[in-house]
Amino acid sequence: MSSPEDITRLKQLKESEALQAAWDEWIETRQLLEETSPLLDDPDPTMRSLASDEYSSLTNTLTTTVESTFPSLLVPASTTSHLSALMELKSGVGGSESSLFLAELVRMYQRLANVNRWKAEVVGQNDNEGGGTKDAILEIKGLGAYDALRWESGVHRVQRVPATESSGRVHTSTVAIVVLPLVEETDAHNEELFKMDDIKLEVMRARGAGGQHVNKTESAVRLTHIPTGITVSMQDERSQHQNRRRAFQVLRSRLMDQKITREIAERRAARTNLVRAADRSEKIRTYNFAQERVTDHRIGLTLMNLTSVLEGDGLQDFLDALRRDHYESVMEDMLESA
Amino acid sequence: MHSRLLAQLAAHIGTDQASLELRWMKQALSSGLSNATLSTMVKRRALGEPLQYILGTQPFGPLNLLTRPPVLIPRPETEHWVIKLAESMFPTAQNPRNLLDLGTGSGCIPLLLCHLWPKGSLRTHGIDISPHALRLANDNAALCGIPTHCDTDEPQNTYTTSLASFLHTSFPDNEASIKPPYDIVTSNPPYIPWDEYLELPRSVSDYEDPKALFGGPSGLDFYHAIARIVSHKNILSPNAVVALEVGYEQAEIVESLMRRTGRIHRTEIWGDPWGKQRTVVAHAHA
Ligand SMILES: C[S@@+](CC[C@H](N)C(=O)[O-])C[C@H]1O[C@@H](n2cnc3c(N)ncnc32)[C@H](O)[C@@H]1O
């Protein structure tokens, strides 16, 4: 918990009515707490017990003020709060088991989207011959989707006995997820993300004489952003034109992601303190089927209801906890550098 | 999973293509656009029928057009140059253009331009020798919401069609529906020469109209006809643009045919995304 001196400094940071109200409440609660504290040793047992109840309720209020009210008022408003999200999922170790799990994760995010009234659409997908999905791109449209989902970036690990495993041995497989901010074609700040001259656009398969000679569907395209070396391939749509639009959307999202990451790094470099950087190769979560549990390793939170997580509701609990954790670390960061 | 159907399809078109096409078939079925079953779709495809006829549609730019045998399926090469043409000109409702499309087929070329350009900036007319094509073209116009004439106070782009042969030496004089001068003439005429026609993949030659493909022994018959039409006095307005799709080895010959009409002062050849010379664009004298 932060000391009152810190709060004083924060007070100077930002003056606002909401903050003033929260501040007044904080002062008042602390005062009540001070008044209650001597009563904890009162000779009258009834008084003691009353005091102790009050004391713990006041402490709770203080904790909430510090852990959520102040942060939500003080943490700078997110500049990405209006953005939708583009999730790229890739199967990792574990072969077809990883592909099967990837397909389940896609369904999990689709359900979560439903609950939040976001629009989820699989815009790219490569299926595995043995079942499941090798990789997928999931577009999640809606206010706040990116801010809510960005903490899903990282390696998700599943531990279970594959349906195909006769010996009953538990396998560990992984799926890597990267969540990007979705940048629409019509968004104003596209211009600065890339120059058309820096783009190399290629069709992916030969078409022989082409034109009237051929009526096979050859709609796959690949584009390369030369300065960054980012390449995007798209083949899911029947029209080349649509694949091209999708590919540009993914490119814009990746470039926007790089820009946001760069800006965060610059802001941090300007301060003395470093907040934990998001490492996308870090194992962030384990889904353990045998124990029916899901653990998020970053915040140490375990939910004993794996089914509910895969259905979307439990996942919401993780997202909420991660958001709180983010607020807190931004707060700490501000306190230490203020 | 439909692994049996996938295997059946993969034997004909390869695994990668099969898994994509199977997914598109499922999408068409779930969107209610087709009342076939997945297994009949796969069976037809395995017999060599083009996917676009089985699904009944083909995207063309942002449009989703109907496809129906034997009318030629719109090609991605055509989609590419029509979008490029759309981006290279700037008609406005104050300065609307007249367009003539020769061999209009599904109507894809004028319909896409009508869709992409500002409302009220374009009036188009397509002719074709095939009644099947004209019926499909009109259905597509209705589907895309492009009327035959402006029937409201709102400005609109329009598309009309008529049955006519532009190979005829009397064309366009005896055609009441042709109202020159035109600011834009577009055509993707039949351009496959005889020897290549015999080598076509079965999915093309067995299903698509030979009259939409065969361009005479040399493949150039229709370009000679277009050159004659372009030479015709008063058919083109000053600074008119003639945009012609060509076969993979025909661009330079067609370019010189256009230059020799005496109406053209500048020509360009556009490449397609697969690296073939695909479109001859000729600009008329001012
Ligand atoms: C290659 S297809 C092009 C169709 C459509 N414009 C497209 O780009 O998909 C050629 C079209 O020309 C039509 N056609 C063939 N001979 C013709 C003629 N003598 N007069 C008018 N149209 C003709 C065919 O019926 C066919 O629809």
Side-chain angles (χ1 to χ4, degrees):
Chain A
M1 213 188 282
S2 342
S3 68
E5 289 81 37
D6 288 328
I7 306 299
T8 318
R9 266 191 247 130
L10 283 172
K11 190 171 178 248
Q12 295 155 354
L13 256 169
K14 196 174 175 189
E15 293 284 353
S16 77
E17 256 174 62
L19 188 62
Q20 189 63 51
W23 176 252
D24 292 346
E25 193 196 356
W26 159 265
I27 296 290
E28 197 185 310
T29 316
R30 279 200 68 99
Q31 212 158 358
L32 286 172
L33 198 70
E34 268 163 42
E35 289 164 13
T36 315
S37 144
L39 300 176
L40 289 171
D41 302 323
D42 200 272
D44 177 354
T46 323
M47 201 45 157
R48 268 211 311 277
S49 124
L50 265 179
S52 130
D53 283 353
E54 188 168 4
Y55 191 87
S56 70
S57 125
L58 288 170
T59 320
N60 279 342
T61 312
L62 278 185
T63 312
T64 320
T65 316
V66 168
E67 288 184 358
S68 36
T69 316
F70 280 135
S72 65
L73 290 170
L74 289 171
V75 171
S78 162
T79 53
T80 49
S81 59
H82 63 291
L83 291 175
S84 299
L86 200 66
M87 306 186 75
E88 298 191 276
L89 296 89
K90 280 197 176 57
S91 54
V93 300
S96 65
E97 171 62 6
S98 147
S99 297
L100 289 171
F101 183 56
L102 192 150
E104 285 169 63
L105 287 180
V106 168
R107 281 193 293 278
M108 171 176 87
Y109 290 115
Q110 284 170 328
R111 293 196 188 103
L112 178 85
N114 251 334
V115 174
N116 283 284
R117 294 169 183 276
W118 297 321
K119 219 172 123 260
E121 191 187 346
V122 177
V123 297
Q125 169 176 337
N126 282 299
D127 290 334
N128 197 7
E129 272 181 57
T133 307
K134 263 187 287 197
D135 53 72
I137 299 180
L138 188 61
E139 179 187 279
I140 303 204
K141 282 195 173 172
L143 230 51
Y146 173 68
D147 274 3
L149 288 164
R150 50 195 296 197
W151 317 111
E152 294 301 287
S153 284
V155 174
H156 295 238
R157 185 167 70 162
V158 61
Q159 294 178 319
R160 66 177 168 193
V161 182
T164 49
E165 168 72 56
S166 47
S167 72
R169 205 164 50 84
V170 172
H171 286 223
T172 298
S173 329
T174 62
V175 170
I177 299 185
V178 174
V179 181
L180 305 171
L182 183 83
V183 189
E184 304 278 359
E185 214 167 344
T186 46
D187 273 353
H189 30 256
N190 284 338
E191 300 303 325
E192 47 204 73
L193 284 175
F194 66 88
K195 287 201 287 289
M196 213 46 203
D197 289 347
D198 289 336
I199 305 290
K200 187 170 81 177
L201 202 103
E202 295 161 285
V203 284
M204 290 173 66
R205 276 186 277 273
R207 239 177 105 75
Q212 291 166 21
H213 292 74
V214 184
N215 63 13
K216 195 174 162 199
T217 307
E218 297 288 9
S219 53
V221 299
R222 173 172 51 224
L223 56 84
T224 308
H225 182 243
I226 298 159
T228 55
I230 294 178
T231 68
V232 185
S233 305
M234 251 324 142
Q235 58 165 12
D236 287 69
E237 301 284 342
R238 288 167 61 203
S239 133
Q240 214 203 102
H241 170 77
Q242 283 163 4
N243 279 329
R244 193 185 289 223
R245 273 192 38 218
R246 293 280 191 207
F248 272 108
Q249 189 178 52
V250 175
L251 173 71
R252 279 193 299 272
S253 297
R254 293 212 188 138
L255 289 171
M256 183 66 168
D257 174 60
Q258 289 194 345
K259 191 169 159 229
I260 291 175
T261 313
R262 210 167 41 236
E263 285 169 358
I264 292 176
E266 279 162 12
R267 246 181 283 139
R268 277 197 199 123
R271 299 188 201 133
T272 48
N273 183 30
L274 283 184
V275 178
R276 181 198 62 222
D279 176 1
R280 283 166 187 174
S281 59
E282 183 190 358
K283 267 191 207 63
I284 59 161
R285 199 176 292 152
T286 297
Y287 304 72
N288 187 309
F289 278 65
Q291 298 167 14
E292 257 286 312
R293 68 164 169 89
V294 183
T295 301
D296 196 293
H297 306 292
R298 294 163 297 185
I299 48 177
L301 176 65
T302 294
L303 290 187
M304 290 312 294
N305 193 344
L306 181 134
T307 316
S308 137
V309 174
L310 292 181
E311 297 284 319
D313 290 341
L315 180 61
Q316 188 64 54
D317 293 342
F318 276 117
L319 296 184
D320 293 344
L322 285 160
R323 189 195 293 259
R324 272 197 305 277
D325 180 64
H326 170 64
Y327 276 164
E328 281 165 28
S329 65
V330 173
M331 274 288 282
E332 275 166 34
D333 192 32
M334 286 174 61
L335 290 175
E336 278 165 46
S337 56
Chain B
M1 278 311 281
H2 299 276
S3 34
R4 188 184 54 83
L5 294 177
L6 183 65
Q8 193 183 349
L9 204 52
H12 293 268
I13 57 177
T15 314
D16 290 347
Q17 187 73 13
S19 82
L20 279 174
E21 292 195 6
L22 202 62
R23 188 153 8 112
W24 294 329
M25 289 177 189
K26 287 189 216 162
Q27 279 167 5
L29 288 172
S30 68
S31 69
L33 281 175
S34 166
N35 48 14
T37 66
L38 194 59
S39 72
T40 55
M41 282 185 163
V42 168
K43 200 176 294 162
R44 285 167 66 183
R45 185 73 182 111
L47 287 170
E49 186 172 345
L51 177 74
Q52 300 89 330
Y53 285 156
I54 299 172
L55 301 181
T57 61
Q58 170 62 29
F60 195 73
L63 301 177
N64 200 23
L65 298 177
L66 302 171
T67 49
R68 224 183 278 149
V71 183
L72 191 102
I73 298 160
R75 303 291 201 259
E77 289 86 349
T78 312
E79 176 187 47
H80 182 259
W81 72 254
V82 175
I83 291 175
K84 181 165 172 178
L85 183 70
E87 287 167 352
S88 70
M89 299 174 74
F90 305 94
T92 59
Q94 290 72 43
N95 178 19
R97 313 284 169 98
N98 259 335
L99 178 149
L100 177 63
D101 184 38
L102 301 169
T104 202
S106 60
C108 58
I109 300 171
L111 290 177
L112 183 53
L113 292 172
C114 281
H115 179 83
L116 293 175
W117 278 342
K119 287 188 167 60
S121 70
L122 185 64
R123 284 186 292 261
T124 66
H125 183 73
I127 64 146
D128 207 289
I129 201 179
S130 154
H132 290 291
L134 291 182
R135 218 172 300 131
L136 182 64
N138 291 327
D139 288 352
N140 272 326
L143 186 72
C144 302
I146 309 293
T148 52
H149 57 280
C150 201
D151 49 9
T152 59
D153 295 340
E154 288 273 296
Q156 276 172 305
N157 293 335
T158 60
Y159 176 55
T160 52
T161 58
S162 59
L163 191 72
S165 167
F166 66 97
L167 276 185
H168 248 270
T169 45
S170 63
F171 184 90
D173 293 326
N174 292 352
E175 273 312 317
S177 65
I178 304 298
K179 299 192 182 71
Y182 287 99
D183 307 298
I184 306 166
V185 175
T186 54
S187 185
N188 173 16
Y191 55 60
I192 298 180
W194 185 240
D195 53 337
E196 290 174 22
Y197 188 83
L198 300 175
E199 302 293 317
L200 285 177
R202 302 278 299 272
S203 71
V204 177
S205 57
D206 283 2
Y207 294 89
E208 294 186 288
D209 192 350
K211 285 204 290 299
L213 301 162
F214 182 45
S218 66
L220 296 169
D221 283 9
F222 288 85
Y223 299 107
H224 286 287
I226 293 169
R228 187 181 49 69
I229 296 164
V230 165
S231 320
H232 208 280
K233 66 174 174 10
N234 301 335
I235 195 92
L236 297 185
S237 56
N239 295 314
V241 171
V242 182
L244 306 175
E245 179 167 324
V246 296
Y248 66 106
E249 280 174 328
Q250 298 169 331
E252 274 147 30
I253 306 172
V254 172
E255 183 181 40
S256 69
L257 283 178
M258 285 299 115
R259 284 176 185 275
R260 267 185 269 150
T261 60
R263 306 269 164 196
I264 300 301
H265 88 104
R266 183 166 66 87
T267 55
E268 295 167 57
I269 293 177
W270 291 351
D272 73 18
W274 288 269
K276 298 277 189 292
Q277 297 189 327
R278 187 58 66 192
T279 314
V280 172
V281 181
H283 300 262
H285 290 295

